[in-house]
Every structure is written in C-alpha cells, then in structure tokens.
Amino acid sequence: MTRIRLLATDLDGTLLRSDRAISPRTARAMAEARREGLEIVWATARARHSVHELAQACGFRGKAICANGAVVLDLADGTPKITATTTIATDSAAAAMNRVRTLMPGVAFANVGPTGFVAEPAYAALCEFVDHQRHPHEMALSELLPLTDEPMVKIVARHPDVSGAELYRTTRAAGVEGMELTHSGAPYVEMSASGVSKASALAELCAAEGISSSEVAVVGDATNDVQMLMWAGTALCPSNAIPDVQALADQVLPSNDEDGVASYIETLLLQRAL
C-alpha cells in the first residue's frame, strides 16, 4: 500500500461545514498532520483574501491552490504569499465574454485578479448582501477589461434567471475557445485560461516537491474537483458530493458537516503510528 504524503482538499462543501467554517476537530487534525509530516494542501475556487481569512481562523500554515488553479499561495508564515499565477490575456477574455453573452443574453461578469476583483453593475446586483458587507472593496462597479493594476486570472459569469448548473452546461456544450470552464455548485460559471485547473496546479506543486500522484489523496465534492480526483492516486469525497464525483471516488467519507476530511486525516495519522 502506497504511503500518502500529501492530502489535497477542496474547501466549500468538503473541508468547510455548511456554515462555511472549519470545525475545531478539523483544525486539530490539520495541525497534527503538519507536525507528523503529512502535507495538507487546500484546493479551492476561492480567492486569496478569502483563503487567508480561513487560514487565520484555524491556524492553517500550508499551501493553497486558489481560483481553481490559477493562483498558488504559501501560508507558512501566516501571510498569503503568491508563488504562482496563470493569467488570461485581455483579448482572450474579451472574446470569451462576448461568446458567453451571445450564448446566454443577459449574463453578467466579474473579473478576478490575484488580489483584486471588479464587477459589472449587473453582476454586483446579483450578489448577496452579506458579500457586500464582508468585502465592500471588491464590489466596486468598475469597468471590465483591463482589471485595474494586475492581470486577470479568472472570469466569473452569472445570470439573473439561469442557474449556474444550466449556464455551465450550455456554455460547455457550445464551447468557449481558449478557456477552461468549470462549476462548483455555486450560481455562476468560472473560466480560467485553457489547461488551468486544480489538477494542473496540484501536479506542478507535487512535481516540485518530488511527490508522485500515487502518493497523493484528494477530497472534493463538485465538478471543479473532477480533474484533480482523476489525477490523484486516491480519490475521496464527502457523502454530500454530487453523484458524478461519488462515482469517481475510491472511498466516500462522512459528510462535510460530519468532519469527513478530519476523520480521514486521523485515520492516516493512526496508520503512520502503527
């Protein structure tokens, strides 16, 4: 049996409970893993600031793959240091947004950079009020293209009358040239540069550390985790994962609200101690 050296886990719907918090049990398990030499990597669609807030809340000091693979952070000293980015060219972004507007009239966009976020007024109007309260600096109704002061790593598309799942199915079936489309179960579709995914970032990170895919376990619950689950030697999901993800899993863990990831970490650490 191959020894697991690295565990990569999605956040929302996987490591986080439904209240979007990391439980004390999970925080303890991750801290113990670090002490025992088991590397934990977060892999999420979330942006740098959000990941930093979560890391501060639970004391996480590992690496994080953000923006579905377009940004990689090192949180070893408690600050979110960007170690890698994969950006989208402005002309490619413009073409992609025009394509999606043609496919789904009424769609609205936000553009995400390594640290910033700008949104069309129609997109900002669709966001929940709590998002404005938590990150008012991000909801500035700026002109899109170019993203102010930094390159673009992700495009987010949302529609007032169409679910994120339907928008994803439509755009993926029709194709958007030069873009990697994905969906996390949220009410929007996310687009990165072609070839960029959680899996691509994780593979690069592991290669740099001399870790093979057979030594990696991955936990995820949604469409944007599929490539990563297929790449890893051990594919895991919480019991609340979508059916397509459960079909890929070597093992189904307890749900996110039952600390499924923590239970797996505890099992790995127990095996190491034997």
Side-chain angles (χ1 to χ4, degrees):
M1 182 177 178
T2 303
R3 181 184 176 93
I4 299 299
R5 295 175 58 191
L6 184 149
L7 172 66
T9 177
D10 171 54
L11 295 182
D12 292 276
T14 303
L15 189 75
L16 306 187
R17 292 184 169 184
S18 296
D19 62 1
R20 298 184 178 183
I22 294 173
S23 73
R25 178 186 176 186
T26 298
R28 286 194 301 271
M30 290 191 295
E32 181 64 18
R34 184 175 179 82
R35 286 191 292 270
E36 295 298 322
L38 171 62
E39 184 170 1
I40 307 295
V41 173
W42 289 357
T44 179
R46 286 181 177 238
R48 172 177 172 269
H49 72 271
S50 178
V51 169
H52 184 212
E53 288 178 358
L54 287 169
Q56 286 184 311
C58 71
F60 180 70
R61 292 294 182 267
K63 296 181 177 68
I65 294 165
C66 306
N68 289 320
V71 177
V72 179
L73 303 180
D74 188 337
L75 297 144
D77 66 357
T79 59
K81 290 184 171 61
I82 296 175
T83 60
T85 58
T86 306
T87 60
I88 305 170
T90 300
D91 56 349
S92 296
M97 289 190 287
N98 287 335
R99 172 67 169 155
V100 176
R101 284 193 203 278
T102 300
L103 292 169
M104 195 68 70
V107 72
F109 294 99
N111 290 348
V112 182
T115 66
F117 178 109
V118 292
E120 292 180 319
Y123 185 97
L126 293 172
C127 293
E128 297 177 6
F129 181 72
V130 66
D131 290 333
H132 293 263
Q133 291 291 89
R134 291 181 64 208
H135 306 296
H137 61 284
E138 291 195 346
M139 302 311 299
L141 307 185
S142 307
E143 289 293 327
L144 299 185
L145 296 174
L147 185 67
T148 306
D149 297 330
E150 62 179 354
M152 189 188 318
V153 298
K154 187 172 72 170
I155 302 168
V156 186
R158 190 167 180 174
H159 197 284
D161 305 312
V162 178
S163 70
E166 183 180 346
L167 184 58
Y168 172 70
R169 286 192 295 268
T170 300
T171 52
R172 183 172 175 80
V176 180
E177 186 176 352
M179 291 290 131
E180 193 78 32
L181 275 66
T182 196
H183 181 243
S184 63
Y188 44 74
V189 168
E190 296 167 287
M191 296 183 280
S192 303
S194 182
V196 174
S197 67
K198 293 182 182 182
S200 67
L202 181 59
E204 290 182 10
L205 188 155
C206 289
E209 297 185 15
I211 298 174
S212 70
S213 61
S214 65
E215 298 172 301
V216 177
V218 164
V219 197
D221 74 308
T223 299
N224 64 336
D225 298 312
V226 165
Q227 293 181 50
M228 184 170 65
L229 289 161
M230 293 177 67
W231 176 83
T234 302
L236 309 158
C237 73
S239 60
N240 53 284
I242 63 172
D244 286 351
V245 166
Q246 292 201 33
L248 291 172
D250 299 308
Q251 180 182 347
V252 177
L253 305 175
S255 73
N256 63 320
D257 285 325
E258 298 170 302
D259 295 334
V261 176
S263 71
Y264 183 72
I265 294 172
E266 290 161 359
T267 298
L268 287 181
L269 295 178
L270 181 60
Q271 291 171 349
R272 283 171 169 242
L274 295 178

